[in-house]
Amino acid sequence: MEYRLLGNSGTAVSTLTLGTMTFGSEADEATSHAILDAFVAAGGTLVDTADVYSGNESERIIGRWLSSHPTEAAQVVLATKGRFPQGDGPNDLGLSRRHLRLALDASLDRLGVEHIDLYQMHAWDALTPIEETLRFLDDAVSAGKIGSYGFSNYLGYQVTKAVYEAKAHHFAPPVTLQPQYNLLVRDIEHEVVPACLDAGIGLLPWSPLAGGWLSGKYQRDEAPTGATRLGENPERGMEAWQARNSDERTWAVLDVLSGVADAHDASRSQVALAWLLARPAVTSVILGVRTLDQLADNLGAADLVLDEAELQALTDASAPRIDDYPYGTAGVAQRERKIAGGR
């Protein structure tokens, strides 16, 4: 396992993160604890959860594992999130000081800790002044309740606004952003990636396997059956599957992915993860697993090195579609130079 700095902070984390959205729902507590054991034994350090995962149960399961594994817990860099509803009241959600104070304390209690290394805003809140959110986070850093903070699912302008508001008020700066990012979903490269590069913010991509598409789980024109990641609403999930199945870009990407995987005697998942780890601004990739077998396969990406030709072939096949303005030919060339050149 390799390690990188957590965005612009001084904290080192493993390049693969254990995502725990499945804990308490698709993985029972015994399985969840076994996954944590295996992840840490492999050198993994960053464990990511959220207060809404499995109705708070993910945090509780992690908390019980931390308390029963004090030696291993000392190596864990713990991340959680707040923002979404924790009750039925009008103030039981959002990024207001009132809600975040209660949400953070509740997360600390469920996790059984006094300090969270990375506290993330789960989504933008258009109603709360950003200065209010940032002041709370700065106060939480000063109070020792959190080490750093970051965002999830923010747009490029929202990231930049937060960065410069924090700078203007001399608040602690944000260090990370969690976006959806994978070979089939690359639109964040238009605005979000350049904004993060400009600010030195590290990306923690979620859904790196595009809901199983990049693992080889789906076959052309074969409707999935059994357990899938197509969503809780079966009708909506099938619409999403049909849209991706009918898109020739999907199969072009999977063809190249398969060829690279075969050349390395690796799984498609491992190649998709390795490509993502090589992208600019990426600090650590979040693994979403339900079983120990899935974890073992995904961890194989840590040792997989793709050469420049393979990376380029995957990048070319998965190039995001771009309308003419403002991301036309000239805009694309400028964006690619910015991304390739880092900050």
Side-chain angles (χ1 to χ4, degrees):
M1 187 76 69
E2 294 184 357
Y3 302 89
R4 298 175 182 173
L5 292 180
L6 188 64
N8 51 26
S9 78
T11 301
V13 297
S14 52
T15 52
L16 296 176
T17 296
L18 181 61
T20 63
M21 189 171 67
T22 61
F23 286 13
S25 54
E26 298 172 85
D28 61 21
E29 183 154 345
T31 301
S32 300
H33 283 192
I35 289 171
L36 280 162
D37 289 341
F39 177 71
V40 173
T45 61
L46 185 54
V47 175
D48 178 74
T49 186
D51 59 4
V52 292
Y53 290 170
S54 303
N56 306 143
E57 191 58 23
S58 175
E59 287 187 330
R60 292 190 178 93
I61 288 172
I62 294 169
R64 289 190 282 269
W65 182 87
L66 291 171
S67 66
S68 63
H69 296 72
T71 302
E72 293 85 351
Q75 301 303 316
V76 167
V77 178
L78 187 60
T80 192
K81 311 177 195 72
R83 190 261 190 247
F84 290 124
Q86 295 296 298
D88 297 326
N91 290 307
D92 291 337
L93 77 165
L95 301 182
S96 68
R97 172 179 285 274
R98 186 183 190 281
H99 175 65
L100 288 177
R101 176 178 61 83
L102 296 173
L104 176 56
D105 284 347
S107 287
L108 289 165
D109 182 63
R110 285 189 291 268
L111 290 163
V113 297
E114 297 180 352
H115 174 90
I116 290 168
D117 297 294
L118 179 65
Y119 193 51
Q120 301 154 104
M121 306 300 93
H122 213 153
W124 179 258
D125 179 358
L127 299 180
T128 301
I130 193 167
E131 296 88 349
E132 180 177 339
T133 301
L134 294 174
R135 183 175 291 279
F136 169 82
L137 293 167
D138 186 66
D139 288 346
V141 171
S142 297
K145 288 188 174 183
I146 65 174
S148 301
Y149 69 91
F151 307 121
S152 182
N153 305 308
Y154 274 39
L155 301 177
Y157 89 88
Q158 294 166 345
V159 170
T160 299
K161 182 177 179 65
V163 167
Y164 283 93
E165 288 290 348
K167 185 176 294 185
H169 293 283
H170 304 289
F171 296 149
V175 302
T176 57
L177 174 73
Q178 273 198 38
Q180 181 178 191
Y181 193 21
N182 56 61
L183 278 164
L184 295 179
V185 181
R186 291 180 53 191
D187 294 300
I188 68 165
E189 293 177 8
H190 300 325
E191 296 279 357
V192 176
V193 173
C196 289
L197 286 168
D198 183 65
I201 286 176
L203 296 178
L204 305 175
W206 59 267
S207 192
L209 301 180
W213 279 91
L214 299 173
S215 70
K217 182 175 185 176
Y218 302 117
Q219 304 300 317
R220 187 191 287 262
D221 299 331
E222 293 183 14
T225 58
T228 72
R229 288 290 183 85
L230 296 179
E232 296 179 0
N233 184 321
E235 182 177 350
R236 182 179 177 186
M238 285 306 300
E239 288 177 359
W241 175 83
Q242 290 167 352
R244 189 158 276 172
N245 175 64
S246 63
D247 188 346
E248 286 302 318
R249 174 175 174 267
T250 300
W251 303 106
V253 171
L254 292 178
D255 284 346
V256 176
L257 184 65
S258 295
V260 176
D262 290 344
H264 286 270
D265 194 23
S267 69
R268 291 182 181 183
S269 297
Q270 290 167 351
V271 173
L273 294 169
W275 175 86
L276 198 50
L277 281 169
R279 297 303 290 167
V282 171
T283 289
S284 183
V285 173
I286 300 174
L287 309 178
V289 301
R290 305 189 308 275
T291 68
L292 283 168
D293 286 343
Q294 289 177 341
L295 177 65
D297 175 76
N298 286 186
L299 288 174
D303 299 320
L304 178 60
V305 179
L306 305 180
D307 64 33
E308 289 301 320
E310 292 168 331
L311 290 171
Q312 193 60 54
L314 289 163
T315 300
D316 291 345
S318 64
R321 296 187 183 91
I322 303 172
D323 292 329
D324 188 40
Y325 181 84
Y327 303 113
T329 303
V332 171
Q334 183 179 29
R335 176 177 57 83
E336 287 298 327
R337 287 195 298 270
K338 174 68 174 177
I339 291 176
R343 295 183 63 188

